[in-house]
Amino acid sequence: ELDLDLPAGAGDGGPVLQIAQFAACPWVDFGRVLVGKAMPAAFTVHNPTGSAQTISAVSDSLGKGIDIESPQFPLRVPTHASVRVVLVWTPKAEGSFAAKIEFNWKGRRALA
């Protein structure tokens, strides 16, 4: 099971990462997943600003069972637009697992 720290709830019930200073951080829960089986989950990155924004993703957990399937990072999000990001969790062993992916914006680690 994975609880992934990300930002607050979307209109469709999914987590949303707002590209804004002091944005709330949501999480993604993959539920119970069998060892070796891949389970996708998605969240939305929303840019409420008047200009395109670029964010990057950093995590020691990437490549260790959790991966960003799409789109490619760094991610450029157009003005007043949203982009869906798909994560994939493939457990390598039994047990609980928690990870944090940090999203950097404007050279700050303001989004996590």
Side-chain angles (χ1 to χ4, degrees):
E1 188 171 54
L2 173 71
D3 289 330
L4 180 66
D5 293 331
L6 299 165
D12 66 359
V16 174
L17 172 62
Q18 288 276 358
I19 300 177
Q21 194 167 5
F22 308 117
C25 294
W27 53 277
V28 174
D29 185 349
F30 289 88
R32 293 182 169 268
V33 182
L34 296 174
V35 173
K37 299 291 181 184
M39 176 65 70
F43 68 96
T44 300
V45 176
H46 177 67
N47 177 9
T49 71
S51 61
Q53 301 293 319
T54 300
I55 62 171
S56 59
V58 180
S59 176
D60 291 338
S61 301
L62 291 173
K64 296 179 181 175
I66 182 121
D67 289 295
I68 298 173
E69 182 177 83
S70 66
Q72 292 283 105
F73 276 78
L75 175 63
R76 185 166 174 81
V77 184
T79 302
H80 301 292
S82 295
V83 176
R84 200 80 169 146
V85 175
V86 178
L87 303 173
V88 175
W89 168 235
T90 308
K92 297 179 186 247
E94 290 186 18
S96 295
F97 181 81
K100 179 177 180 178
I101 298 178
E102 187 170 83
F103 293 92
N104 298 325
W105 169 58
K106 291 188 174 181
R108 298 181 213 130
R109 293 184 173 176
L111 307 175

